[in-house]
């Protein structure tokens, strides 16, 4: 089943007087199936963050369409956007973006509280989630009292508690050490196996290897894509690094 | 060599840039400083202007201006230290960056020194220039309010310059030392780390809160119960200290207990607006409670200053009217033999009496050798003397007295003078030439009217006072309005030439005296009120700024996770409203208690009309609520702007 369709997305940044124009996205089109785990790779400045921001409805494209389950989300009014984000999307950021004012538990509750859910529902979901994520003993602590990996797992719990249609992850392993990264990626795979659709922007080949499909972006265009399919981890790793190399030397496939 | 020269230029540039770049926070700081200098300089100029004391009725001015100067000095110290600590906190990151880029602590210290020096000079220059320009007007305002002769020049005096310069130099050196200590104590990594950790939960919150309540109640108790005697100012001071300490404790502990309770109530806590608000305030509970307490204390000071000023302004005529039931009063040791110049006189009365200071216990009066025992003034006169004074006749028998007081009714059935007991046949409503006020608790005189001179002699003998009775004679005169001043002058001259003259008092000089005192107080009230208000506004403004910076990240994250713009606004409003009324509420309660004490203090200077004070209080409180709301709304715009940047 098709979850998300992206059609001819253009994003042009121009300076105030319109003298300097930068094309961040150049007619990007692709679609995401329900339950897919997609990694988006590309160099800095390739446009992957712009793409993520547009999907997150934080930024708007110059032209094109983003269709989630048949509804064009670019048609939403400004006032509807936050509710839309809250109900349909879950976010995991590189620098966690947890609130130091809230305990781990309350950080996880945050999107549900904002959505006005009853406390009983929240508590039930939170208990199940935190057990799965292995942070059930940290609930009363504060973000500045736990490790990076634990912070990121809290952020994942926060992203998942609303049962979003799509989880958007922006370099989720970027601020973690290798052990925590590994742990987190396993967690993502597990969540994916549970049927969650995930789109992850990453620099890390290791991270991308876990995805079911890897999209490569260069100069605002989709350059190539690799399906995991039946490939082994090692093969996937090799394929991705080869693609990245050709991305850097500027070759074509 | 070249390198060194460069550095020497770099530091002042960095210092001045540091101020200019942060002008939105340094601006108010400098403005407040300059205004304080202006007031300080003006007051000092008035104090050192010797010409003022050549004016008649100017006795109060010097004392009042001195008090003003001391109060100003006391208030400025904590204010500058508080605002300064805010400033340095805001700039920690910048300073940390400098250390990382290679400036040593020594260089940073030099930079801070230059900065402080620049601020000091700007503040001094601004304040003194304003003082020079406006000083003359201020001086005229003071003379006008005090009803003094306007011909005196506002003199510039080197001493005023010097006083101001030295005082503020010490103040700013103080802030500099505090900054240097805090810079030396911190490492760059500590400096860099933005204040992310939550405030530690106040320990022993309940105990602390209870202590706060006890201390506050103690302060209130002192304020309500203290009597006007030699300890009144000590008591007043104690009450203030207790109330301040109590406020800080209660705010801190109370806020903590309240928020903890809110957090425990899950249904309440896990609602979007409460959730963010409660956790936000709880995170910075120390900072919040300190700034709220400060706002409360300054609000109380503003309200009380304004209240006293307004009461005095409207009460001035009451003071004069109560005291002067006559136009002229002359008191002599004995009866005057020469004839009194009677021209222009409308009414003339003579009273012969003896004053004693006696220790009073209920209706028992006795003589005490103890100099420090509180004593009441008791005035004895005979029935005949009473009637001669122009009152209706009484028919007293032996063992009977009539009593009167210009304060609240005595309600005695009998009265004991030493070992003797007298039946009180009547408590008189009035005596010619004396005004009665039920509010007069401290300046009251008890009149005891006995049957005849023999009774008086017997009574005095029983009290242990023998020898010739020291009668005094008082003449009170009512004059025609025409040529009143000249007549008074004539009478004054005449009185001074009589043997045995004790005192001369007249309504004109009384008015002038009262006006000069009240005018001086008004002048002080206005300026201290403005200084307090400026302090208050800046504390409020800085609170909004620092909370804005604290909350910005939180709101940014929440918007990412799905908090709409409208919800951000309503949450902010909720946050503001939650703590909005607390300082105002407490300030009002403090004021209501303080009114008790103010009423008593005003009674000392002869203002017994409680209604004036009560009405002024209501007016001032209502007025202040508007000012408070207005400034909160204005400064919260800054908060919005920072949060939504």
């Amino acid at each position: 089943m098709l979850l998300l369709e992206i059609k001819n997305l253009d994003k042009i940044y121009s300076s105030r007087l319109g003298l300097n124009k930068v094309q961040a996205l150049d007619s990007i089109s692709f679609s995401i199936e329900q339950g897919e785990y997609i990694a988006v790779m590309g160099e800095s400045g390739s446009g992957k963050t712009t793409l993520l921001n547009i999907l997150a409805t934080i930024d708007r494209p110059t032209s094109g369409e983003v269709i989630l389950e048949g509804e064009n989300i670019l048609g939403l009014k400004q006032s509807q956007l936050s509710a839309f984000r809250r109900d349909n999307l879950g976010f995991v950021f590189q620098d966690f973006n947890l609130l130091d004012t809230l305990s781990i538990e309350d950080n996880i509750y945050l999107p549900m509280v904002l959505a006005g859910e009853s406390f009983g529902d929240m508590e039930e979901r939170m208990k199940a989630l935190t057990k799965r994520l292995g942070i059930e003993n940290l609930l009363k602590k504060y973000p500045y009292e736990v490790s990076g990996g634990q912070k990121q797992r809290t952020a994942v719990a926060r992203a998942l508690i609303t049962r979003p249609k799509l989880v958007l992850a922006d370099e989720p392993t970027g601020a973690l050490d290798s052990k925590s990264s590994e742990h987190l990626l396993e967690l993502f795979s597990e969540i994916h196996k549970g049927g969650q659709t995930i789109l992850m922007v990453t620099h890390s080949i290791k991270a991308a290897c876990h995805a079911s499909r890897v999209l490569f972006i260069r100069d605002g265009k989709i350059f190539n894509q690799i399906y995991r399919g039946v490939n082994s981890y090692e093969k996937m790793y090799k394929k991705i690094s080869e693609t990245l190399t050709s991305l850097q030397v500027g070759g074509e496939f | 060599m070249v390198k060194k020269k460069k550095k020497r230029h770099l530091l002042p540039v960095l210092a001045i840039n540091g101020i200019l770049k942060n002008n939105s926070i340094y601006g108010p700081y400098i403005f407040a400083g300059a205004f304080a200098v202006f007031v300080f300089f003006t007051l000092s100029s008035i104090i050192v202007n010797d010409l003022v004391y050549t004016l008649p009725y100017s006795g109060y001015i010097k004392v009042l201006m001195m008090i003003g100067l001391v109060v100003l000095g006391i208030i400025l110290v904590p204010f500058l230290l508080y605002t300064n600590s805010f400033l340095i906190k805001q700039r920690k990151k910048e300073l940390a960056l400098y250390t990382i880029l290679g400036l040593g602590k020594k260089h940073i210290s030099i930079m801070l020194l230059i900065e402080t020096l620049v601020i000091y000079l700007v503040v001094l220059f601004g304040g003194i220039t304003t003082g020079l320009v406006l000083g003359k007007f201020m001086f005229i305002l003071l003379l006008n309010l005090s009803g003094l002769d306007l011909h005196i020049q506002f003199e510039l005096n080197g001493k005023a310059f010097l006083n101001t310069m030295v005082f503020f130099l010490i103040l700013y050196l103080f802030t500099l030392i505090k900054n240097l200590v805090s810079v030396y104590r911190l490492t760059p990594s500590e400096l860099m780390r933005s204040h992310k950790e939550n405030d530690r939960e106040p320990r022993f919150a309940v105990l602390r809160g209870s202590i706060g309540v006890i201390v506050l109640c103690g302060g209130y108790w002192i304020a309500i119960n203290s009597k006007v005697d030699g300890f009144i100012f000590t008591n007043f001071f104690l009450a203030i200290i207790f109330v301040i300490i109590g406020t800080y404790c209660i705010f801190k502990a109370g806020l903590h207990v309240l928020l903890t309770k809110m957090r425990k109530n899950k249904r309440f806590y896990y609602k979007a607006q409460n959730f963010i608000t409660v956790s936000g305030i709880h995170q910075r509970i120390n900072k919040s409670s300190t700034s709220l307490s400060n706002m409360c204390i300054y609000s109380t000071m503003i309200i009380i200053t304004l209240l006293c000023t307004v009461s005095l302004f409207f009460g001035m005529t009451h003071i004069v009217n109560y005291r002067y039931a006559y136009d002229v009063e002359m008191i002599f040791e004995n009866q005057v033999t020469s004839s009194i110049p009677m021209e222009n006189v409308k009414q003339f009365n003579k009273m012969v009496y003896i004053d004693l200071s006696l220790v009073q216990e209920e209706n028992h009066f006795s003589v005490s050798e103890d100099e420090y025992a509180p004593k009441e003034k008791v005035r004895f006169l005979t029935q005949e003397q009473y009637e001669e004074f122009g009152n209706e006749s009484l028919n007293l028998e032996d063992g009977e007295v009539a009593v009167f007081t210009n304060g609240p009714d005595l309600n005695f059935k009998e009265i004991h003078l030493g070992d003797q007991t007298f039946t009180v046949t009547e408590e008189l409503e009035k005596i010619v030439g004396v005004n009665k006020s039920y509010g007069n608790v401290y300046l009251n005189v008890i009149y005891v009217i006995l049957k005849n001179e023999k009774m008086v002699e017997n009574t005095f003998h029983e009290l242990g006072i023998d020898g010739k009775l020291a009668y005094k004679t008082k003449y009170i005169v009512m004059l025609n309005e025409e040529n009143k001043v000249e007549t008074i002058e004539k009478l004054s001259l005449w009185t001074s030439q009589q043997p045995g003259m004790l005192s001369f008092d007249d309504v004109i000089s009384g008015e002038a005296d009262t006006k000069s005192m009240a005018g001086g107080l008004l002048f002080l009230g206005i300026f201290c009120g403005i200084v307090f208000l400026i302090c208050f506004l800046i504390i409020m403004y800085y609170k909004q700024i620092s909370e804005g910076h604290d909350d910005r990240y939180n709101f940014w994250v929440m918007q990412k996770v799905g908090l709409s713009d409208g919800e951000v606004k309503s949450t902010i409003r909720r946050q503001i409203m939650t703590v909005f009324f607390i300082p105002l509420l407490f300030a009002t309660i403090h004021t209501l208690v303080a009114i008790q004490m103010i009423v008593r203090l005003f009674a000392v200077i002869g203002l017994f009309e409680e209604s004036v004070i009560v009405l002024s209080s209501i007016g001032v409180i209502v007025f202040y609520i508007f000012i408070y709301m207005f400034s909160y709304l204005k400064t919260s715009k800054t908060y919005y702007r920072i949060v939504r940047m």
Side-chain angles (χ1 to χ4, degrees), chain A residues 55-84:
Chain A
L55 296 184
T57 68
I58 292 166
D59 205 348
R60 277 174 174 267
T62 315
S63 65
E65 285 176 30
V66 179
I67 295 161
L68 183 84
E69 291 187 327
E71 186 192 6
N72 186 358
I73 63 171
L74 300 178
L76 292 172
K77 282 189 213 132
Q78 194 66 37
S79 55
Q80 298 169 312
L81 282 180
S82 23
F84 169 81

Short mmCIF file of all heavy atoms in Angstrom, two decimals, chain A residues 55-84:
data_model
loop_
_atom_site.label_atom_id
_atom_site.label_comp_id
_atom_site.label_asym_id
_atom_site.label_seq_id
_atom_site.Cartn_x
_atom_site.Cartn_y
_atom_site.Cartn_z
N LEU A 55 8.99 17.26 4.18
CA LEU A 55 8.14 16.15 4.61
C LEU A 55 7.61 16.39 6.03
O LEU A 55 6.50 16.00 6.36
CB LEU A 55 8.91 14.82 4.57
CG LEU A 55 9.38 14.37 3.19
CD1 LEU A 55 10.04 13.00 3.27
CD2 LEU A 55 8.23 14.35 2.20
N ALA A 56 8.44 17.08 6.81
CA ALA A 56 8.02 17.36 8.19
C ALA A 56 7.08 18.55 8.28
O ALA A 56 6.68 18.94 9.37
CB ALA A 56 9.25 17.61 9.05
N THR A 57 6.76 19.13 7.14
CA THR A 57 5.91 20.33 7.02
C THR A 57 6.47 21.53 7.75
O THR A 57 5.76 22.46 8.09
CB THR A 57 4.46 20.09 7.52
OG1 THR A 57 4.50 19.89 8.94
CG2 THR A 57 3.82 18.91 6.86
N ILE A 58 7.78 21.50 8.01
CA ILE A 58 8.41 22.67 8.63
C ILE A 58 8.78 23.67 7.54
O ILE A 58 8.77 24.87 7.74
CB ILE A 58 9.66 22.24 9.43
CG1 ILE A 58 9.22 21.42 10.65
CG2 ILE A 58 10.48 23.43 9.88
CD1 ILE A 58 10.33 20.68 11.33
N ASP A 59 9.06 23.15 6.35
CA ASP A 59 9.43 24.00 5.22
C ASP A 59 8.44 23.72 4.08
O ASP A 59 7.81 22.66 4.05
CB ASP A 59 10.87 23.65 4.78
CG ASP A 59 11.52 24.83 4.08
OD1 ASP A 59 10.80 25.79 3.73
OD2 ASP A 59 12.75 24.78 3.88
N ARG A 60 8.31 24.68 3.16
CA ARG A 60 7.42 24.47 2.02
C ARG A 60 8.21 24.46 0.72
O ARG A 60 9.13 25.25 0.57
CB ARG A 60 6.36 25.58 1.96
CG ARG A 60 5.21 25.31 2.87
CD ARG A 60 4.25 26.46 2.91
NE ARG A 60 3.09 26.07 3.70
CZ ARG A 60 1.99 25.53 3.16
NH1 ARG A 60 1.88 25.38 1.86
NH2 ARG A 60 0.99 25.18 3.94
N PRO A 61 7.83 23.57 -0.21
CA PRO A 61 8.56 23.53 -1.47
C PRO A 61 8.13 24.68 -2.38
O PRO A 61 7.08 25.28 -2.16
CB PRO A 61 8.14 22.20 -2.07
CG PRO A 61 6.78 21.96 -1.54
CD PRO A 61 6.75 22.58 -0.17
N THR A 62 8.96 24.98 -3.36
CA THR A 62 8.59 26.01 -4.33
C THR A 62 7.47 25.49 -5.23
O THR A 62 6.53 26.20 -5.55
CB THR A 62 9.82 26.40 -5.17
OG1 THR A 62 10.93 26.58 -4.29
CG2 THR A 62 9.58 27.68 -5.93
N SER A 63 7.60 24.22 -5.63
CA SER A 63 6.50 23.60 -6.35
C SER A 63 6.55 22.09 -6.14
O SER A 63 7.55 21.56 -5.67
CB SER A 63 6.60 23.93 -7.85
OG SER A 63 7.77 23.34 -8.38
N GLY A 64 5.48 21.40 -6.50
CA GLY A 64 5.43 19.96 -6.32
C GLY A 64 4.36 19.55 -5.33
O GLY A 64 3.65 20.40 -4.78
N GLU A 65 4.23 18.26 -5.11
CA GLU A 65 3.18 17.75 -4.23
C GLU A 65 3.74 16.73 -3.26
O GLU A 65 4.66 15.98 -3.60
CB GLU A 65 2.08 17.06 -5.06
CG GLU A 65 1.17 18.02 -5.80
CD GLU A 65 0.17 17.27 -6.67
OE1 GLU A 65 -0.21 16.13 -6.32
OE2 GLU A 65 -0.21 17.82 -7.71
N VAL A 66 3.19 16.72 -2.08
CA VAL A 66 3.49 15.66 -1.11
C VAL A 66 2.15 15.07 -0.70
O VAL A 66 1.31 15.76 -0.13
CB VAL A 66 4.23 16.21 0.13
CG1 VAL A 66 4.48 15.07 1.11
CG2 VAL A 66 5.53 16.87 -0.27
N ILE A 67 1.95 13.82 -1.03
CA ILE A 67 0.63 13.22 -0.79
C ILE A 67 0.75 12.10 0.24
O ILE A 67 1.47 11.12 0.02
CB ILE A 67 0.02 12.71 -2.10
CG1 ILE A 67 -0.24 13.91 -3.03
CG2 ILE A 67 -1.28 11.96 -1.84
CD1 ILE A 67 -0.39 13.52 -4.45
N LEU A 68 0.08 12.27 1.35
CA LEU A 68 0.09 11.24 2.39
C LEU A 68 -1.28 10.58 2.39
O LEU A 68 -2.29 11.24 2.62
CB LEU A 68 0.37 11.88 3.76
CG LEU A 68 0.48 10.88 4.91
CD1 LEU A 68 1.89 10.31 4.99
CD2 LEU A 68 0.12 11.54 6.23
N GLU A 69 -1.30 9.32 2.11
CA GLU A 69 -2.55 8.55 2.04
C GLU A 69 -3.61 9.31 1.24
O GLU A 69 -4.74 9.47 1.69
CB GLU A 69 -3.06 8.24 3.44
CG GLU A 69 -2.17 7.25 4.15
CD GLU A 69 -2.74 6.80 5.48
OE1 GLU A 69 -3.42 7.63 6.13
OE2 GLU A 69 -2.51 5.65 5.86
N GLY A 70 -3.22 9.78 0.05
CA GLY A 70 -4.18 10.41 -0.84
C GLY A 70 -4.47 11.87 -0.57
O GLY A 70 -5.15 12.53 -1.33
N GLU A 71 -3.90 12.42 0.52
CA GLU A 71 -4.19 13.82 0.84
C GLU A 71 -2.94 14.67 0.62
O GLU A 71 -1.86 14.31 1.10
CB GLU A 71 -4.63 13.92 2.31
CG GLU A 71 -5.09 15.31 2.68
CD GLU A 71 -5.23 15.46 4.21
OE1 GLU A 71 -4.86 14.52 4.94
OE2 GLU A 71 -5.69 16.52 4.64
N ASN A 72 -3.10 15.75 -0.11
CA ASN A 72 -1.96 16.62 -0.36
C ASN A 72 -1.69 17.48 0.87
O ASN A 72 -2.45 18.38 1.20
CB ASN A 72 -2.25 17.52 -1.57
CG ASN A 72 -1.01 18.33 -1.94
OD1 ASN A 72 0.03 18.26 -1.29
ND2 ASN A 72 -1.14 19.09 -3.02
N ILE A 73 -0.59 17.20 1.56
CA ILE A 73 -0.35 17.90 2.83
C ILE A 73 0.11 19.33 2.62
O ILE A 73 0.11 20.14 3.54
CB ILE A 73 0.66 17.15 3.72
CG1 ILE A 73 2.03 17.07 3.06
CG2 ILE A 73 0.16 15.77 4.07
CD1 ILE A 73 3.10 16.53 3.99
N LEU A 74 0.48 19.66 1.40
CA LEU A 74 0.89 21.05 1.15
C LEU A 74 -0.33 21.96 1.09
O LEU A 74 -0.21 23.17 1.15
CB LEU A 74 1.69 21.14 -0.15
CG LEU A 74 2.96 20.30 -0.14
CD1 LEU A 74 3.66 20.39 -1.48
CD2 LEU A 74 3.90 20.74 0.96
N GLY A 75 -1.51 21.33 0.96
CA GLY A 75 -2.73 22.14 0.95
C GLY A 75 -3.21 22.52 2.33
O GLY A 75 -4.14 23.30 2.48
N LEU A 76 -2.54 21.97 3.36
CA LEU A 76 -2.97 22.28 4.72
C LEU A 76 -2.67 23.73 5.08
O LEU A 76 -1.66 24.28 4.66
CB LEU A 76 -2.27 21.36 5.72
CG LEU A 76 -2.64 19.88 5.68
CD1 LEU A 76 -1.72 19.08 6.57
CD2 LEU A 76 -4.09 19.69 6.11
N LYS A 77 -3.58 24.30 5.89
CA LYS A 77 -3.34 25.67 6.33
C LYS A 77 -2.30 25.67 7.44
O LYS A 77 -2.12 24.68 8.14
CB LYS A 77 -4.65 26.27 6.87
CG LYS A 77 -5.58 26.69 5.76
CD LYS A 77 -6.75 27.46 6.38
CE LYS A 77 -8.02 27.22 5.58
NZ LYS A 77 -9.16 26.87 6.41
N GLN A 78 -1.70 26.82 7.63
CA GLN A 78 -0.69 26.97 8.67
C GLN A 78 -1.21 26.50 10.03
O GLN A 78 -0.53 25.82 10.78
CB GLN A 78 -0.28 28.45 8.75
CG GLN A 78 0.98 28.72 9.53
CD GLN A 78 2.21 28.12 8.85
OE1 GLN A 78 2.32 28.10 7.63
NE2 GLN A 78 3.13 27.58 9.65
N SER A 79 -2.48 26.83 10.28
CA SER A 79 -3.05 26.51 11.59
C SER A 79 -3.28 25.00 11.76
O SER A 79 -3.39 24.51 12.87
CB SER A 79 -4.35 27.27 11.79
OG SER A 79 -5.22 26.99 10.72
N GLN A 80 -3.38 24.30 10.62
CA GLN A 80 -3.64 22.85 10.73
C GLN A 80 -2.35 22.05 10.82
O GLN A 80 -2.36 20.88 11.16
CB GLN A 80 -4.42 22.39 9.49
CG GLN A 80 -5.78 23.05 9.36
CD GLN A 80 -6.40 22.76 8.01
OE1 GLN A 80 -5.74 22.90 6.97
NE2 GLN A 80 -7.66 22.35 8.02
N LEU A 81 -1.25 22.71 10.47
CA LEU A 81 0.00 21.97 10.32
C LEU A 81 0.48 21.31 11.61
O LEU A 81 0.88 20.14 11.59
CB LEU A 81 1.10 22.89 9.79
CG LEU A 81 1.02 23.17 8.30
CD1 LEU A 81 2.14 24.09 7.87
CD2 LEU A 81 1.07 21.87 7.50
N SER A 82 0.41 22.04 12.71
CA SER A 82 0.96 21.44 13.93
C SER A 82 0.14 20.24 14.36
O SER A 82 0.69 19.24 14.82
CB SER A 82 1.09 22.45 15.06
OG SER A 82 0.24 23.51 14.89
N ALA A 83 -1.17 20.35 14.19
CA ALA A 83 -2.02 19.20 14.52
C ALA A 83 -1.69 18.03 13.58
O ALA A 83 -1.62 16.88 14.01
CB ALA A 83 -3.48 19.58 14.40
N PHE A 84 -1.44 18.36 12.34
CA PHE A 84 -1.09 17.31 11.38
C PHE A 84 0.20 16.61 11.79
O PHE A 84 0.30 15.39 11.79
CB PHE A 84 -0.94 17.92 9.97
CG PHE A 84 -0.32 16.98 8.99
CD1 PHE A 84 -1.09 15.99 8.36
CD2 PHE A 84 1.05 17.02 8.71
CE1 PHE A 84 -0.51 15.10 7.48
CE2 PHE A 84 1.63 16.13 7.83
CZ PHE A 84 0.85 15.17 7.21
#
